[in-house]
Amino acid sequence: MKKLITTFIILTAALCLSSCGKKAPPSTEVTALVMDGEHYTIEVSSVSLKPGSDASFLIETDSGYEVTETDYTGEYRISLAHGLTKLELVDVRYPTRVRLTLSNHTRTVTYIANGGDSATGEGKSVVRSYDISYHTRPNVSIGTDIFTWEGYTLTCWNTEPDGTGDRVGLGSRVTVSDSLTLYAQWAKWTEPELFTYEISDNAARITGYSGGETTLVIPEALGGYPVTVIGESAFKDCGAESVILPKSIVSVEKNAFAGAKLRVLSFFDNIEYITDGCFAGCDNLSTLRISAIEDPYGYSFRRESVLADKLDLLIGTMGEKRLVFFGGCSMWYNLIGPDAQKAFDGSFTVINMGLNGVTSSIFQMELMANFITENDIIIHTPEISSSQQLLLATGLSKYDDKLWCAMEYNYDLVSLLDMRRFDGGVLESLRLYLDKKKPGGRYTDIYHDSKGYEYFDETGSIPYYRDKSAEKLVDTVLLDPDYLSDLSRLEEEYGLFTERGARIYVSYASIDIESVPEEQQGNIALMGKLYTEKFSCMHGVAVISEIYDFIYHDADFYDTVYHLLTIPAQNCTKVWIRDIKSQLSRDGLWVDGK
């Protein structure tokens, strides 16, 4: 009996020890919770799931707000789905509570009439809010729809009431950190008795002027009739250095300002006819100030409208160390921007300024130069048979209406240009664009083509994937030595960048050898030799590549002989990255991969 009791005690103790050492069975579910906060709501804030599963939440944010991060310690993903933010917490193993961090994409601008009156009944101080989720710099109000002042023309906004601050054109873009106050700037009309005019169809046509003002502000009305036309030779040899046209002007006739001393011309973009011939002999005319009064149309018209956004990338990153890639569409399409950014991440910011190769390169380069600093490396890949990109053509043509579809989103950019540096065509190309404009656009639009593709990513590159070549490619490539015979104007433009301390690395655009005329296909080595000789002798310029590394075939291209398919474009990008790093190393700017 004693032995039986002893055995029972031992077994009982063993069971107790076994029970004490054994863990409780794992819970079959854990809970993941997203905590409430301001400026967002959650469809279902708490979910139960098996340990190791992913938790998913749909979040609706207030206008202008974006979920940017959480305090979840594991991996998580944030994406947009049908207008909602989708948050995914990966591999949730334990009960979890997370907080959200949001960014405010709303900016506020207060407009002050500054002497004018309300046009809407809102008063002399009007507040507008702008969502900068896509366009980082908002377009300001055109102003004429909120303020008015009899006998005055609204010319622009300014950050100071007396006009001594920063000038912002009507409808142009501005940098707003949080909020901004802008004051209307007004120009008093020149006395009406100084004009001669005739009345037709209930409108005035100015035929002459006898005043001597330095600043000429043409009235919006004369004799009770709207002024719609500036007649031929009406201001011939006029001594005014600044002329402000009213928003009522529809047409400026040939030679209207012939021989005038005019330096600055201001007008509104509802004008229907204005050409270079209106200002024949105006050798001092250097600055155009264009005020927006019509809604923009560019994002509905052409993909080149994203140039304004590309320039915003330059404006917003000034002072950073940057690699600024420039060329025609063979740069725009063929640089895979995110790949380049990853290769130089932490050392340089990558910006793709490539655009359409038939548009005026000098126009684009003169704009870019305003935002280049000593921290910049310019990588230029001019298409080897493009007279525009080699600056053999320095005037604007009918193709440059594609540039104006971008400029109307920030006409202030145009005021940075010196019109005397172009061989004509500036106003004519603008007129051609204005002729094509249609109503219905908005400043908040973004460009999509007919297939819904966007043409602008965080680096300014083409973001959509291209995996199939067209049956028939358009365009040709010439390997003609005459294109490289005189690059003096291009060297002059490079000087705008090097004067600011930037370096220029010259490489090649892709060359579809099968699109080259048969008699020129043997010129590859000759063109490479001439290319190196011509560019290497320029101050501050280094040729970083070999021409044979950029020879491609029809099967590598998408729709033209300049747009590579995505995989060939990735390979082209790798070559550019390799060559840039090699040159940076030679310049002492890239050591041990940094």
Side-chain angles (χ1 to χ4, degrees):
M1 183 67 178
K2 184 176 181 181
K3 183 178 180 180
L4 181 61
I5 294 173
T6 302
T7 302
F8 175 78
I9 293 173
I10 293 171
L11 288 172
T12 303
L15 287 171
C16 289
L17 289 172
S18 175
S19 176
C20 290
K22 188 175 181 180
K23 294 182 179 179
S27 173
T28 57
E29 289 190 335
V30 295
T31 301
L33 168 70
V34 176
M35 300 180 68
D36 292 335
E38 294 183 341
H39 306 298
Y40 66 89
T41 56
I42 310 168
E43 275 193 2
V44 178
S45 61
S46 176
V47 296
S48 296
L49 63 157
K50 293 181 179 180
S53 300
D54 297 347
S56 181
F57 304 89
L58 288 177
I59 304 161
E60 183 177 2
T61 59
D62 292 348
S63 177
Y65 285 84
E66 176 187 13
V67 179
T68 55
E69 61 180 324
T70 80
D71 60 356
Y72 181 59
T73 56
E75 179 186 352
Y76 62 87
R77 294 184 289 265
I78 298 173
S79 60
L80 294 178
H82 307 293
L84 300 175
T85 299
K86 183 178 181 181
L87 170 65
E88 297 172 276
L89 307 179
V90 179
D91 192 20
V92 179
R93 294 183 176 272
Y94 307 101
T96 300
R97 292 193 309 171
V98 299
R99 292 178 176 83
L100 302 181
T101 300
L102 277 68
S103 294
N104 183 0
H105 287 271
T106 298
R107 300 293 183 265
T108 301
V109 178
T110 300
Y111 300 95
I112 307 297
N114 200 27
D117 295 311
S118 173
T120 63
E122 296 176 87
K124 297 186 178 183
S125 176
V126 175
V127 179
R128 295 282 188 268
S129 294
Y130 302 91
D131 185 344
I132 61 167
S133 299
Y134 188 86
H135 306 297
T136 58
R137 303 175 70 236
N139 288 88
V140 298
S141 170
I142 61 174
T144 56
D145 58 344
I146 56 175
F147 298 137
T148 184
W149 192 353
E150 182 65 27
Y152 290 80
T153 293
L154 180 63
T155 60
C156 63
W157 307 106
N158 200 283
T159 55
E160 297 294 336
D162 61 0
T164 59
D166 297 329
R167 183 186 187 280
V168 182
L170 307 181
S172 287
R173 289 185 176 175
V174 66
T175 300
V176 187
S177 57
D178 183 26
S179 61
L180 182 69
T181 298
L182 295 175
Y183 299 87
Q185 302 296 300
W186 304 90
K188 191 177 188 307
W189 296 348
T190 298
E191 295 301 322
E193 58 266 21
L194 299 176
F195 301 92
T196 57
Y197 56 93
E198 57 188 23
I199 304 301
S200 177
D201 295 327
N202 293 316
R205 173 180 177 269
I206 294 180
T207 57
Y209 167 71
S210 59
E213 287 81 0
T214 301
T215 298
L216 170 61
V217 184
I218 294 176
E220 190 171 322
L222 288 170
Y225 295 92
V227 176
T228 60
V229 179
I230 306 297
E232 183 174 352
S233 301
F235 294 92
K236 183 179 181 181
D237 299 325
C238 173
E241 295 184 2
S242 177
V243 172
I244 299 172
L245 303 183
K247 65 180 185 295
S248 60
I249 290 293
V250 173
S251 175
V252 180
E253 294 181 354
K254 181 180 179 181
N255 291 320
F257 289 88
K261 293 183 179 180
L262 181 61
R263 291 190 304 104
V264 181
L265 174 66
S266 303
F267 59 95
F268 290 81
D269 72 345
N270 62 337
I271 198 165
E272 295 179 8
Y273 189 86
I274 187 169
T275 71
D276 300 76
C278 304
F279 303 91
C282 293
D283 298 333
N284 297 323
L285 180 55
S286 60
T287 304
L288 298 181
R289 288 180 175 166
I290 306 173
S291 294
I293 197 171
E294 293 189 337
D295 290 332
Y297 179 63
Y299 289 126
S300 301
F301 173 57
R302 290 287 305 189
R303 58 184 177 268
E304 291 80 12
S305 57
V306 303
L307 175 58
D309 299 296
K310 285 174 177 272
L311 287 161
D312 278 351
L313 290 179
L314 277 184
I315 294 169
T317 58
M318 286 184 69
E320 296 180 16
K321 293 174 64 178
R322 303 182 295 189
L323 297 174
V324 181
F325 292 79
F326 178 61
C329 53
S330 56
M331 172 58 75
W332 189 6
Y333 281 71
N334 301 349
L335 176 72
I336 306 299
D339 289 359
Q341 186 60 75
K342 183 178 179 181
F344 294 99
D345 198 29
S347 298
F348 292 92
T349 297
V350 169
I351 299 176
N352 184 348
M353 291 299 301
L355 206 68
N356 191 318
V358 301
T359 57
S360 172
S361 281
I362 186 174
F363 189 99
Q364 296 166 65
M365 293 177 78
E366 296 259 340
L367 283 175
M368 289 167 54
N370 290 277
F371 313 110
I372 295 300
T373 73
E374 62 184 7
N375 294 314
D376 294 325
I377 309 289
I378 313 297
I379 298 93
H380 191 202
T381 62
E383 289 159 7
I384 205 163
S385 59
S386 170
S387 58
Q388 288 86 357
Q389 292 176 55
L390 295 171
L391 298 199
L392 307 179
T394 55
L396 271 66
S397 71
K398 62 181 181 180
Y399 299 109
D400 292 310
D401 61 352
K402 300 176 180 64
L403 295 178
W404 290 104
C405 75
M407 292 301 98
E408 70 170 340
Y409 291 94
N410 193 5
Y411 281 127
D412 276 352
L413 294 169
V414 181
S415 68
L416 300 175
L417 300 172
D418 187 337
M419 295 299 107
R420 296 170 297 183
R421 293 184 61 80
F422 302 97
D423 189 20
V426 176
L427 289 170
E428 177 63 15
S429 62
L430 169 61
R431 184 188 68 82
L432 290 174
Y433 172 67
L434 295 178
D435 283 348
K436 297 176 180 178
K437 282 187 64 170
K438 296 178 182 179
R442 298 174 301 174
Y443 284 118
T444 54
D445 290 342
I446 62 176
Y447 179 78
H448 296 89
D449 69 8
S450 59
K451 296 181 180 180
Y453 294 136
E454 292 186 19
Y455 280 70
F456 184 79
D457 68 10
E458 66 274 11
T459 67
S461 301
I462 298 287
Y464 71 87
Y465 194 85
R466 307 176 298 280
D467 61 355
K468 184 179 179 181
S469 182
E471 291 184 9
K472 183 177 178 61
L473 300 172
V474 298
D475 296 324
T476 59
V477 177
L478 300 178
L479 295 180
D480 185 349
D482 285 345
Y483 277 88
L484 300 177
S485 60
D486 182 8
L487 302 181
S488 57
R489 186 57 193 274
L490 182 56
E491 182 177 13
E492 182 182 336
E493 290 302 306
Y494 282 164
L496 297 179
F497 301 122
T498 57
E499 285 172 4
R500 290 164 170 78
R503 298 171 186 256
I504 298 174
Y505 293 174
V506 174
S507 183
Y508 290 91
S510 57
I511 297 171
D512 180 5
I513 193 62
E514 292 170 16
S515 75
V516 176
E518 186 175 352
E519 67 274 12
Q520 294 182 1
Q521 290 186 5
N523 287 352
I524 296 175
L526 173 60
M527 293 298 285
K529 179 176 179 292
L530 289 173
Y531 201 84
T532 299
E533 289 176 354
K534 291 289 186 177
F535 284 101
S536 295
C537 67
M538 298 180 185
H539 173 70
V541 178
V543 178
I544 66 172
S545 302
E546 297 291 337
I547 191 171
Y548 283 100
D549 288 334
F550 296 88
I551 302 300
Y552 293 87
H553 300 274
D554 282 351
D556 296 316
F557 291 88
Y558 176 55
D559 53 357
T560 84
V561 298
Y562 295 105
H563 303 166
L564 288 171
L565 298 171
T566 296
I567 291 178
Q570 290 171 338
N571 294 330
C572 180
T573 299
K574 289 178 182 177
V575 176
W576 278 328
I577 292 170
R578 179 201 68 193
D579 294 345
I580 291 166
K581 286 184 176 179
S582 294
Q583 186 63 41
L584 288 172
S585 296
R586 288 190 288 272
D587 289 341
L589 301 173
W590 188 266
V591 181
D592 295 328
K594 297 181 179 180

